Structure formats: C-alpha cells, structure tokens
Coordinates of all heavy atoms in Angstrom, one line a residue:
M1 N 0.8 -1.2 0.0 CA 0.0 0.0 0.0 C 0.8 1.3 0.0 O 0.4 2.3 -0.4 CB -0.9 0.0 1.2 CG -2.0 -1.0 1.1 SD -3.4 -0.7 2.1 CE -3.3 -1.1 3.6
L2 N 2.1 1.2 0.5 CA 2.9 2.3 0.6 C 3.8 2.5 -0.7 O 4.2 3.6 -1.0 CB 3.8 2.3 1.8 CG 3.1 2.3 3.1 CD1 4.0 2.1 4.3 CD2 2.4 3.7 3.3
F3 N 4.1 1.4 -1.3 CA 5.0 1.5 -2.5 C 4.4 0.9 -3.7 O 3.6 0.0 -3.6 CB 6.3 0.7 -2.2 CG 7.1 1.3 -1.1 CD1 7.0 0.9 0.2 CD2 8.0 2.4 -1.3 CE1 7.7 1.5 1.3 CE2 8.8 3.0 -0.3 CZ 8.6 2.5 1.0
F4 N 4.7 1.4 -4.9 CA 4.1 1.0 -6.1 C 5.2 0.7 -7.1 O 6.3 1.2 -7.1 CB 3.2 2.1 -6.6 CG 2.1 2.5 -5.6 CD1 2.3 3.6 -4.8 CD2 0.9 1.8 -5.6 CE1 1.3 3.9 -3.8 CE2 -0.1 2.1 -4.7 CZ 0.1 3.2 -3.8
G5 N 4.8 -0.1 -8.1 CA 5.6 -0.4 -9.2 C 6.9 -1.1 -8.8 O 6.9 -2.0 -7.9
D6 N 8.0 -0.7 -9.4 CA 9.3 -1.2 -9.1 C 9.7 -1.0 -7.7 O 10.4 -1.8 -7.1 CB 10.4 -0.7 -10.1 CG 10.2 -1.1 -11.5 OD1 9.5 -2.1 -11.7 OD2 10.7 -0.4 -12.4
E7 N 9.3 0.1 -7.1 CA 9.6 0.4 -5.7 C 9.0 -0.7 -4.8 O 9.6 -0.9 -3.7 CB 9.2 1.8 -5.3 CG 10.1 2.8 -5.8 CD 9.9 4.2 -5.1 OE1 8.8 4.4 -4.5 OE2 10.8 5.0 -5.1
R8 N 7.9 -1.2 -5.1 CA 7.3 -2.2 -4.3 C 8.2 -3.5 -4.1 O 8.5 -4.0 -3.1 CB 5.9 -2.7 -4.8 CG 5.3 -3.8 -4.0 CD 3.9 -4.1 -4.4 NE 3.1 -3.0 -4.1 CZ 1.8 -2.9 -4.4 NH1 1.2 -3.9 -5.1 NH2 1.1 -1.8 -4.1
D9 N 8.7 -3.9 -5.3 CA 9.6 -5.1 -5.3 C 10.9 -4.7 -4.5 O 11.4 -5.5 -3.8 CB 9.9 -5.5 -6.7 CG 8.7 -6.1 -7.4 OD1 7.8 -6.6 -6.7 OD2 8.7 -6.0 -8.7
Q10 N 11.4 -3.5 -4.8 CA 12.6 -3.1 -4.1 C 12.5 -3.0 -2.6 O 13.3 -3.4 -1.8 CB 13.1 -1.7 -4.7 CG 14.4 -1.2 -4.1 CD 14.8 0.1 -4.7 OE1 14.1 0.7 -5.5 NE2 15.9 0.7 -4.2
A11 N 11.3 -2.5 -2.2 CA 11.0 -2.4 -0.7 C 10.9 -3.8 -0.1 O 11.5 -4.0 1.0 CB 9.8 -1.6 -0.5
A12 N 10.2 -4.7 -0.8 CA 10.0 -6.0 -0.2 C 11.4 -6.7 -0.1 O 11.7 -7.4 0.9 CB 9.1 -6.8 -1.1
D13 N 12.2 -6.6 -1.2 CA 13.5 -7.2 -1.1 C 14.4 -6.6 0.0 O 15.1 -7.4 0.7 CB 14.2 -7.0 -2.5 CG 15.5 -7.7 -2.6 OD1 15.5 -9.0 -2.6 OD2 16.6 -7.1 -2.7
L14 N 14.3 -5.4 0.2 CA 15.1 -4.7 1.2 C 14.7 -5.2 2.6 O 15.5 -5.6 3.4 CB 14.9 -3.2 1.1 CG 15.7 -2.3 2.2 CD1 17.2 -2.5 2.0 CD2 15.2 -0.9 2.1
L15 N 13.4 -5.3 2.8 CA 12.9 -5.7 4.1 C 13.2 -7.2 4.4 O 13.6 -7.5 5.5 CB 11.4 -5.5 4.2 CG 10.9 -4.0 4.3 CD1 9.4 -3.9 4.1 CD2 11.4 -3.4 5.5
V16 N 13.0 -8.0 3.4 CA 13.3 -9.4 3.6 C 14.8 -9.7 3.8 O 15.1 -10.5 4.7 CB 12.8 -10.2 2.3 CG1 13.3 -11.7 2.4 CG2 11.3 -10.2 2.3
H17 N 15.6 -9.1 3.1 CA 17.0 -9.4 3.2 C 17.8 -8.5 4.1 O 18.9 -8.9 4.5 CB 17.7 -9.3 1.8 CG 17.1 -10.4 0.9 ND1 16.2 -10.1 -0.1 CD2 17.4 -11.7 0.8 CE1 15.9 -11.3 -0.7 NE2 16.6 -12.2 -0.2
Q18 N 17.3 -7.4 4.5 CA 18.1 -6.5 5.3 C 17.5 -6.1 6.7 O 18.1 -5.5 7.5 CB 18.4 -5.2 4.6 CG 19.0 -5.4 3.3 CD 20.5 -5.1 3.3 OE1 21.0 -4.5 4.2 NE2 21.2 -5.5 2.3
C19 N 16.2 -6.5 6.9 CA 15.5 -6.1 8.1 C 14.8 -7.3 8.7 O 13.6 -7.2 9.0 CB 14.6 -4.9 7.8 SG 13.9 -4.1 9.3
G20 N 15.5 -8.4 8.8 CA 14.9 -9.6 9.3 C 15.8 -10.3 10.3 O 16.3 -9.7 11.2
Q21 N 16.1 -11.5 9.9 CA 16.9 -12.4 10.8 C 18.4 -11.9 10.9 O 19.1 -12.4 11.8 CB 16.8 -13.8 10.4 CG 15.5 -14.4 10.6 CD 15.4 -15.8 10.1 OE1 15.9 -16.1 9.1 NE2 14.7 -16.7 10.9
N22 N 18.8 -10.9 10.1 CA 20.1 -10.4 10.2 C 20.2 -9.3 11.3 O 21.3 -8.9 11.6 CB 20.6 -9.8 8.8 CG 19.7 -8.6 8.4 OD1 18.5 -8.7 8.5 ND2 20.4 -7.6 8.0
L23 N 19.1 -8.9 11.8 CA 19.1 -7.8 12.9 C 19.8 -8.4 14.1 O 19.7 -9.7 14.4 CB 17.7 -7.3 13.2 CG 17.0 -6.6 12.1 CD1 15.6 -6.2 12.6 CD2 17.8 -5.4 11.6
P24 N 20.5 -7.6 14.9 CA 21.1 -8.1 16.1 C 20.2 -8.9 17.0 O 19.1 -8.4 17.3 CB 21.6 -6.9 16.8 CG 21.8 -5.9 15.7 CD 20.7 -6.2 14.7
F25 N 20.5 -10.1 17.4 CA 19.8 -11.0 18.3 C 18.6 -11.7 17.7 O 17.8 -12.2 18.4 CB 19.4 -10.2 19.6 CG 20.5 -9.5 20.3 CD1 20.6 -8.2 20.3 CD2 21.5 -10.2 20.9 CE1 21.6 -7.5 20.9 CE2 22.6 -9.6 21.5 CZ 22.6 -8.2 21.5
F26 N 18.4 -11.6 16.4 CA 17.3 -12.2 15.7 C 17.6 -13.3 14.8 O 16.8 -13.7 13.9 CB 16.5 -11.1 14.9 CG 15.7 -10.2 15.8 CD1 16.2 -9.0 16.3 CD2 14.5 -10.5 16.3 CE1 15.6 -8.2 17.1 CE2 13.8 -9.7 17.2 CZ 14.3 -8.5 17.6
G27 N 18.8 -13.9 14.9 CA 19.2 -15.0 14.0 C 18.2 -16.2 14.0 O 18.1 -16.8 13.0
D28 N 17.6 -16.5 15.1 CA 16.7 -17.6 15.2 C 15.2 -17.2 15.2 O 14.4 -18.1 15.5 CB 17.0 -18.4 16.5 CG 18.4 -19.0 16.5 OD1 18.9 -19.3 15.4 OD2 19.0 -19.1 17.6
A29 N 14.9 -16.0 14.9 CA 13.6 -15.5 15.0 C 12.7 -16.1 13.9 O 13.2 -16.4 12.8 CB 13.5 -14.0 14.8
H30 N 11.5 -16.4 14.2 CA 10.5 -16.9 13.2 C 10.0 -15.7 12.4 O 9.9 -14.6 13.0 CB 9.3 -17.6 13.9 CG 9.7 -18.9 14.5 ND1 10.0 -20.0 13.8 CD2 9.9 -19.1 15.8 CE1 10.4 -21.0 14.7 NE2 10.3 -20.5 15.9
P31 N 9.6 -15.8 11.2 CA 9.1 -14.7 10.4 C 8.1 -13.8 11.1 O 8.1 -12.6 11.0 CB 8.6 -15.3 9.1 CG 9.4 -16.6 9.0 CD 9.7 -17.1 10.4
E32 N 7.1 -14.5 11.7 CA 6.1 -13.7 12.4 C 6.6 -12.9 13.5 O 5.9 -11.9 13.9 CB 4.9 -14.6 12.8 CG 5.3 -15.7 13.8 CD 5.7 -17.0 13.2 OE1 5.9 -17.1 12.0 OE2 6.0 -17.9 14.0
D33 N 7.7 -13.3 14.1 CA 8.3 -12.5 15.2 C 8.9 -11.2 14.7 O 9.2 -10.3 15.5 CB 9.4 -13.3 15.9 CG 8.8 -14.5 16.6 OD1 7.6 -14.5 17.0 OD2 9.6 -15.5 16.8
L34 N 9.1 -11.1 13.4 CA 9.7 -9.9 12.8 C 8.7 -8.8 12.4 O 9.1 -7.7 12.0 CB 10.6 -10.3 11.6 CG 11.7 -11.3 12.0 CD1 12.3 -11.8 10.7 CD2 12.7 -10.6 12.9
D35 N 7.4 -9.1 12.4 CA 6.4 -8.2 11.9 C 6.5 -6.8 12.6 O 6.4 -5.8 11.9 CB 5.0 -8.7 12.2 CG 4.6 -9.9 11.3 OD1 5.4 -10.1 10.3 OD2 3.6 -10.5 11.5
R36 N 6.8 -6.8 13.9 CA 6.9 -5.5 14.6 C 8.0 -4.6 14.0 O 7.8 -3.4 13.8 CB 7.2 -5.8 16.1 CG 7.2 -4.6 16.9 CD 7.4 -5.0 18.4 NE 7.4 -3.9 19.3 CZ 8.0 -3.9 20.4 NH1 8.6 -5.0 20.9 NH2 8.0 -2.8 21.2
Y37 N 9.1 -5.2 13.6 CA 10.2 -4.4 13.1 C 10.0 -4.1 11.6 O 10.3 -2.9 11.2 CB 11.5 -5.2 13.3 CG 11.6 -5.7 14.7 CD1 11.1 -7.0 15.1 CD2 12.0 -4.9 15.7 CE1 11.1 -7.4 16.4 CE2 12.0 -5.3 17.0 CZ 11.5 -6.5 17.4 OH 11.5 -6.9 18.7
L38 N 9.4 -5.0 10.9 CA 9.1 -4.7 9.5 C 8.1 -3.6 9.3 O 8.2 -2.7 8.5 CB 8.7 -5.9 8.7 CG 9.7 -7.1 8.7 CD1 9.0 -8.4 8.1 CD2 10.9 -6.7 7.9
L39 N 7.1 -3.7 10.1 CA 6.0 -2.6 10.1 C 6.5 -1.3 10.6 O 6.1 -0.2 10.1 CB 4.8 -3.1 10.9 CG 4.0 -4.2 10.2 CD1 2.9 -4.7 11.2 CD2 3.4 -3.8 8.9
A40 N 7.4 -1.3 11.6 CA 8.0 -0.1 12.1 C 8.8 0.6 11.0 O 8.7 1.8 10.8 CB 9.0 -0.4 13.3
A41 N 9.6 -0.2 10.2 CA 10.3 0.4 9.1 C 9.4 1.0 8.0 O 9.6 2.0 7.5 CB 11.3 -0.7 8.5
L42 N 8.3 0.3 7.8 CA 7.4 0.8 6.8 C 6.7 2.0 7.3 O 6.5 3.0 6.5 CB 6.3 -0.3 6.5 CG 6.8 -1.4 5.6 CD1 5.8 -2.6 5.5 CD2 7.1 -0.9 4.2
K43 N 6.3 2.1 8.5 CA 5.7 3.3 9.1 C 6.6 4.5 9.0 O 6.2 5.5 8.6 CB 5.2 3.0 10.5 CG 4.5 4.2 11.1 CD 4.0 4.0 12.5 CE 3.3 5.2 13.0 NZ 2.9 5.0 14.4
V44 N 7.8 4.3 9.4 CA 8.8 5.4 9.4 C 9.1 5.8 8.0 O 9.3 7.0 7.7 CB 10.1 4.9 10.1 CG1 11.2 5.9 9.9 CG2 9.9 4.8 11.6
S45 N 9.0 4.9 7.0 CA 9.3 5.2 5.6 C 8.3 6.2 5.0 O 8.6 7.0 4.1 CB 9.3 4.0 4.7 OG 8.0 3.5 4.4
Q46 N 7.1 6.2 5.4 CA 6.0 7.0 4.9 C 5.8 6.8 3.4 O 5.4 7.7 2.7 CB 6.2 8.5 5.2 CG 6.4 8.8 6.7 CD 6.8 10.2 6.9 OE1 6.6 11.1 6.1 NE2 7.4 10.4 8.1
G47 N 6.3 5.6 2.9 CA 6.1 5.4 1.4 C 7.3 6.0 0.6 O 7.2 6.0 -0.6
N48 N 8.3 6.4 1.3 CA 9.5 7.0 0.6 C 10.7 6.0 0.7 O 11.1 5.6 1.8 CB 9.8 8.3 1.3 CG 11.0 9.0 0.6 OD1 12.1 8.5 0.7 ND2 10.8 10.2 0.1
M49 N 11.2 5.6 -0.5 CA 12.3 4.6 -0.5 C 13.5 5.1 0.3 O 14.1 4.3 1.0 CB 12.6 4.3 -2.0 CG 13.6 3.1 -2.1 SD 13.1 1.6 -1.3 CE 11.7 1.2 -2.3
D50 N 13.9 6.3 0.1 CA 15.0 6.8 0.9 C 14.8 6.7 2.4 O 15.7 6.4 3.2 CB 15.4 8.3 0.5 CG 15.9 8.4 -0.9 OD1 16.5 7.4 -1.4 OD2 15.7 9.5 -1.5
F51 N 13.6 7.0 2.8 CA 13.3 6.9 4.3 C 13.3 5.4 4.7 O 13.7 5.1 5.8 CB 11.9 7.5 4.6 CG 11.9 9.0 4.5 CD1 10.6 9.7 4.5 CD2 13.0 9.8 4.3 CE1 10.6 11.0 4.4 CE2 12.9 11.2 4.1 CZ 11.7 11.8 4.2
L52 N 12.8 4.5 3.8 CA 12.8 3.1 4.1 C 14.3 2.6 4.3 O 14.6 1.9 5.2 CB 12.1 2.3 3.1 CG 12.0 0.8 3.3 CD1 11.3 0.5 4.6 CD2 11.4 0.1 2.2
I53 N 15.1 3.0 3.4 CA 16.5 2.6 3.5 C 17.1 3.1 4.8 O 17.8 2.4 5.5 CB 17.3 3.1 2.3 CG1 16.9 2.4 1.0 CG2 18.8 3.0 2.5 CD1 17.4 3.0 -0.3
A54 N 16.8 4.3 5.2 CA 17.3 4.9 6.4 C 16.7 4.1 7.6 O 17.5 3.9 8.6 CB 17.0 6.4 6.5
A55 N 15.5 3.8 7.5 CA 14.8 3.0 8.6 C 15.5 1.6 8.8 O 15.7 1.2 9.9 CB 13.3 2.9 8.4
V56 N 15.8 1.0 7.7 CA 16.5 -0.3 7.8 C 17.9 -0.2 8.3 O 18.3 -1.0 9.2 CB 16.5 -1.0 6.4 CG1 17.4 -2.2 6.4 CG2 15.0 -1.4 6.0
E57 N 18.6 0.9 7.9 CA 19.9 1.1 8.5 C 19.8 1.4 10.0 O 20.7 0.9 10.8 CB 20.6 2.3 7.8 CG 21.0 1.9 6.3 CD 21.9 0.7 6.3 OE1 22.9 0.6 7.0 OE2 21.7 -0.2 5.4
L58 N 18.8 2.1 10.4 CA 18.6 2.3 11.8 C 18.3 1.0 12.6 O 18.9 0.8 13.6 CB 17.4 3.3 12.0 CG 17.1 3.7 13.5 CD1 18.2 4.3 14.2 CD2 15.8 4.6 13.5
A59 N 17.5 0.2 12.0 CA 17.2 -1.1 12.6 C 18.5 -2.0 12.7 O 18.7 -2.6 13.8 CB 16.2 -1.9 11.8
K60 N 19.3 -1.9 11.7 CA 20.6 -2.7 11.8 C 21.5 -2.1 12.9 O 22.3 -2.9 13.5 CB 21.2 -2.7 10.4 CG 20.4 -3.5 9.4 CD 21.1 -3.9 8.1 CE 21.7 -2.7 7.4 NZ 22.2 -3.1 6.0
A61 N 21.5 -0.8 13.1 CA 22.3 -0.2 14.1 C 21.8 -0.5 15.5 O 22.5 -0.9 16.4 CB 22.5 1.3 13.9
D62 N 20.5 -0.3 15.7 CA 19.8 -0.5 17.0 C 18.3 -0.5 16.7 O 17.7 0.5 16.6 CB 20.2 0.6 18.0 CG 19.7 0.2 19.4 OD1 18.7 -0.6 19.5 OD2 20.4 0.6 20.4
W63 N 17.7 -1.7 16.6 CA 16.3 -1.9 16.3 C 15.4 -1.2 17.3 O 14.3 -0.8 17.0 CB 15.9 -3.3 16.1 CG 16.4 -4.3 17.1 CD1 17.5 -5.0 17.0 CD2 15.8 -4.6 18.3 NE1 17.7 -5.8 18.2 CE2 16.6 -5.5 19.0 CE3 14.7 -4.1 19.0 CZ2 16.3 -6.0 20.3 CZ3 14.4 -4.6 20.2 CH2 15.2 -5.6 20.9
R64 N 15.9 -1.0 18.5 CA 15.0 -0.3 19.5 C 14.8 1.1 19.1 O 13.7 1.6 19.4 CB 15.7 -0.4 20.9 CG 15.9 -1.8 21.4 CD 16.8 -1.9 22.6 NE 18.1 -1.5 22.2 CZ 19.2 -1.5 23.0 NH1 19.1 -1.9 24.2 NH2 20.4 -1.1 22.5
D65 N 15.8 1.8 18.5 CA 15.6 3.1 18.1 C 14.5 3.2 16.9 O 13.7 4.1 16.9 CB 16.9 3.7 17.6 CG 17.9 4.0 18.7 OD1 17.4 4.2 19.8 OD2 19.1 4.1 18.4
L66 N 14.5 2.2 16.1 CA 13.5 2.1 15.0 C 12.1 2.0 15.7 O 11.2 2.7 15.3 CB 13.7 1.0 14.1 CG 12.7 0.7 13.0 CD1 12.6 1.9 12.1 CD2 12.9 -0.5 12.3
L67 N 12.0 1.1 16.7 CA 10.7 0.9 17.3 C 10.2 2.2 17.9 O 9.0 2.6 17.8 CB 10.7 -0.2 18.4 CG 10.9 -1.6 17.8 CD1 11.0 -2.6 19.0 CD2 9.8 -2.0 16.9
M68 N 11.1 3.0 18.6 CA 10.7 4.2 19.2 C 10.3 5.3 18.1 O 9.4 6.0 18.3 CB 11.9 4.8 20.0 CG 12.2 3.9 21.3 SD 10.8 3.7 22.4 CE 10.7 5.3 23.1
S69 N 11.1 5.3 17.0 CA 10.8 6.2 15.9 C 9.4 6.0 15.4 O 8.7 6.9 14.9 CB 11.8 6.1 14.8 OG 13.0 6.5 15.3
A70 N 9.0 4.7 15.3 CA 7.7 4.4 14.8 C 6.5 4.5 15.8 O 5.4 4.4 15.4 CB 7.7 3.0 14.2
G71 N 6.9 4.7 17.0 CA 5.9 4.8 18.1 C 5.5 3.4 18.6 O 4.4 3.2 19.2
F72 N 6.3 2.4 18.3 CA 6.0 1.0 18.7 C 6.9 0.6 19.9 O 6.9 -0.6 20.3 CB 6.3 0.1 17.6 CG 5.5 0.2 16.3 CD1 5.8 -0.4 15.2 CD2 4.3 1.0 16.3 CE1 5.1 -0.3 14.0 CE2 3.6 1.2 15.2 CZ 3.9 0.5 14.0
G73 N 7.6 1.5 20.5 CA 8.6 1.2 21.6 C 8.0 0.8 22.9 O 8.6 0.1 23.7
H74 N 6.8 1.4 23.2 CA 6.3 1.2 24.6 C 5.1 0.2 24.6 O 4.6 -0.1 25.7 CB 5.8 2.5 25.1 CG 6.9 3.5 25.3 ND1 7.8 3.4 26.3 CD2 7.2 4.6 24.7 CE1 8.7 4.4 26.2 NE2 8.3 5.2 25.2
D75 N 4.7 -0.3 23.5 CA 3.6 -1.3 23.5 C 3.9 -2.4 22.4 O 4.0 -2.1 21.3 CB 2.3 -0.5 23.1 CG 1.1 -1.4 23.0 OD1 1.2 -2.6 23.2 OD2 0.0 -0.9 22.7
V76 N 4.1 -3.6 22.9 CA 4.5 -4.7 22.0 C 3.4 -5.1 21.0 O 3.7 -5.8 20.0 CB 4.9 -5.9 22.8 CG1 6.2 -5.7 23.6 CG2 3.8 -6.5 23.6
S77 N 2.2 -4.5 21.1 CA 1.2 -4.8 20.2 C 0.8 -3.6 19.3 O -0.1 -3.7 18.5 CB 0.0 -5.4 20.9 OG -0.6 -4.5 21.7
A78 N 1.5 -2.5 19.5 CA 1.2 -1.3 18.8 C 1.2 -1.5 17.3 O 0.4 -0.9 16.5 CB 2.1 -0.1 19.2
H79 N 2.1 -2.3 16.8 CA 2.2 -2.5 15.3 C 0.9 -3.2 14.8 O 0.6 -3.0 13.6 CB 3.4 -3.3 15.0 CG 3.4 -4.7 15.5 ND1 3.5 -5.1 16.8 CD2 3.2 -5.9 14.8 CE1 3.4 -6.4 17.0 NE2 3.2 -6.9 15.8
M80 N 0.2 -3.9 15.6 CA -1.0 -4.6 15.2 C -2.1 -3.6 14.9 O -3.1 -4.0 14.3 CB -1.4 -5.6 16.2 CG -0.5 -6.8 16.3 SD -1.1 -8.0 17.5 CE 0.3 -8.5 18.3
H81 N -2.0 -2.4 15.4 CA -3.1 -1.4 15.3 C -2.8 -0.3 14.3 O -3.6 0.6 14.0 CB -3.3 -0.8 16.7 CG -3.6 -1.8 17.7 ND1 -4.7 -2.5 17.8 CD2 -2.8 -2.2 18.8 CE1 -4.7 -3.3 18.8 NE2 -3.5 -3.1 19.4
W82 N -1.6 -0.4 13.7 CA -1.2 0.6 12.7 C -1.6 0.1 11.3 O -1.5 -1.0 11.0 CB 0.3 0.8 12.7 CG 0.8 1.7 11.6 CD1 0.6 3.0 11.5 CD2 1.5 1.3 10.4 NE1 1.1 3.5 10.3 CE2 1.6 2.5 9.6 CE3 1.9 0.1 9.9 CZ2 2.3 2.5 8.4 CZ3 2.6 0.2 8.6 CH2 2.7 1.4 7.9
Y83 N -2.2 1.0 10.6 CA -2.6 0.7 9.2 C -2.3 1.9 8.4 O -2.8 3.0 8.7 CB -4.2 0.5 9.2 CG -4.7 0.0 7.9 CD1 -4.5 -1.3 7.5 CD2 -5.3 0.9 7.0 CE1 -5.0 -1.8 6.3 CE2 -5.8 0.4 5.8 CZ -5.7 -0.9 5.5 OH -6.1 -1.3 4.3
P84 N -1.5 1.7 7.3 CA -1.1 2.9 6.5 C -2.3 3.5 5.8 O -3.2 2.9 5.4 CB -0.1 2.3 5.5 CG -0.4 0.8 5.5 CD -1.0 0.5 6.8

C-alpha cells in the first residue's frame, strides 16, 4: 500500500534481506516475530524509498531506536493497530 511499481519489489527485497533475521539478536527468529520491526520500518518510511533505506539502516544499528521512531517502543502490540 505504501510502495508502487518497481519500488514495491525493491522495498520487499530490502525488508526481507536487510531487516529480518540479520538484525542483532534475531538470528533464530521466526518470520512472524519480525512483523513488529518490518512494520516499524514501513511506518517510518511513509512510502518514501530513501526513508525506508534509512529506517532499515537504523534497525541494523539498533532496532530499539526504530521501534521508538515508529511509536512502537512502549507497546509490544502497537504494530498490530497501525494501518497505512
């Protein structure tokens, strides 16, 4: 819903390969355990590829900062209520 055309594929690839099990302490995480972080990156991106890249880089540096930026830091279920 946030990305269209070629950017949709690029965003999906970025999230799958750069914002998942490669994040610190998430090597054994199940895909559904990563939803909070993936949605945080999407929310912070606001549909802008440059912002998404920055959000993924932030997650790789410290995923807690990404959660705080997205407003998901204080409630482990906040991502379930966000809809773009």
